[in-house]
Amino acid sequence: MEIDPGEGLTASSSVFFSSWSIDALAKTLSADESLMAWIPPRRIPFARLERRDAGVLVQLPGRPGQPVPPELLPLLELVDGRRTLADLAGGLALSVAVTEERLRELIRRRWVTWRLEVPSGARPERELRAVLERVGDPGLRDRALEPLEVLERGRDRVQAAGRDATALCEALAGLEEDFTRITDTASQRAKGTRTAPNRSLVYSDTRRSATARLSPAVLDELTPLSLCLTAVGWLTSRYAESMRARIRESFDRVRGDRPTTDLASLWFACLPAPHADSMPEADRIGAELRERWARIINAPEGARRVQLSSADIAERVREEFDGPRDGWSLSRYVSPDILIMAKDAAAVERGEFELVLGELHIAMNTVAASLFVNQHPAVDELIAETGRDFPGPRLMPMLPKELPLKWSARSRPALDRPEDYFVAVAEHTSDPHRDRTVLSAEVTVADRDGRLTALLPDGSEFDVLDVFSHALTNRVMDRFALRPDADHVPRVAVDKLVVSRESWRFTGGDLEFAGEKSEARRYVRARNWRSERGLPRHVFVVSPAEPRPFYVDFDAPVYVNILAKAARRLARKDPLAKLTVTEMLPTPEHAWLTDDQGNAYTSELRFVAVDQEHQQGGVPSW
């Protein structure tokens, strides 16, 4: 193990705008009608034009066809998100006034949208700038760019403040004041169940100065991980098989007596994507995965530690989980987080260490998240590796900018390439000026030798499961577990790799100390409660009543209070629901990564495993 602590704690730090803050600015700018004349309107992604003898209909999923008035049809065919109002008028040989009147009728019918929308990306201010710089009127363009530049200067002051607390507070206050004045919008979003992670105007992502080169001894102890990957391949294959059948049922229903349907109609028929039964199916297959592992592990009743040998269980794993891996595009990826338990780097070199499987992210490349890509010192290498995984173009759905609790600009996949296609399914979050951008209504879905295939307007063909890839991944990404749900699960190690931490399950009422009014007595009772049940000092807790896991140190009263509050909240919400307490492993004593001052920090090895035998719909990925 070789560690270079570098100089100082961090090597670089970048400040990014949250996407919602730039969207708020765009909404404010949209109030200027003279500016909107330079903003191209576009057809909604799921509005399909169907030509019949009696005329042209607009087909929206799940609704009867709507006749298109002949005078509106030429305009509707030209609206593509690239042509401005003047461009459309010129193409139709109409006056701007007449064209605008017809455009507003298309908007009234909800076939077209016309607003200043910022394409998704880690740098939304750059995306907005690109839109505004297409404005042909220099004075109008400068007037629109001015408030953006005010916010950019505020962001730059936050960046320059660094770790100077006084300067940072002043810079943040100034940025918030400017934002509220310009947009008439609060500078902080209220926390709630529908709020995505980034609630402030800006956030910072930072890269450590320290680097570490792993010892071959560490890599040699990753053998048990291959057994876990075999099980993951089984899970994704079974799930893909189930969802293919469900999606085909929807396909047969929406196409009726026609041989094909459009992708938009199929997508809406499958909501909530990838199918209405997708969550119960994921639950069922996940439970079967745990049952199969339970047979392999065969832990004695009441055991707290289970030690297995990979050589002894390899054949059992093959019996339970072997078979062809047939999934969706992302299911070739598995991203393990491995933690090293060691006193220091020298102990690792001596072989005095254990490994812990923190998480196993299924069907996703965690290194592709924008927070990693935008700070990586050699992004071209990541793109090149993506090219090895996908030698040809990919069909990727346009993802929403945010999803509550976990999805934001910093976690979005960012390893897309010019040759990849983006399809707008329900919303259009990409730049319409980007080549290989298509609408779902313009994609045909057909059966090709028993395989549902997406046919693009340029003739390209893709497995239709590609469009559902992120929805499929969202259903299974956290499904890897070795033990069935139980009130106690032992720590399980295979060779030197801990594949399952010890955990316990309690109802809120089981934590008797939580209702104690006196903070001092509550603290003492909590420590006694922990001791009686054999819980370690450091744990993580997951509660159905809390949005995220939280850390507890039973030696710290503040953390005991947090746990007690969570227990009371859960008991009120559902007396029978259980929270899960999991041992913290590694512990603080195992923090071996140090900075140039000798301070120790936690760390994990995050990497990406790629299934070399992956297939998709019976077709090899390569």
Side-chain angles (χ1 to χ4, degrees), residues 490-504:
R491 181 193 298 179
V492 179
V494 181
D495 301 339
K496 295 180 72 170
L497 175 64
V498 176
V499 292
S500 179
R501 298 179 173 102
E502 188 175 13
S503 64
W504 302 258

Side-chain angles (χ1 to χ4, degrees), residues 17 125 129 147-157:
F17 279 107
E125 76 282 7
R129 177 175 288 277
L148 174 60
E149 291 169 349
V150 170
L151 298 185
E152 288 175 329
R153 288 194 293 270
R155 185 271 321 276
D156 292 343
R157 285 192 289 271

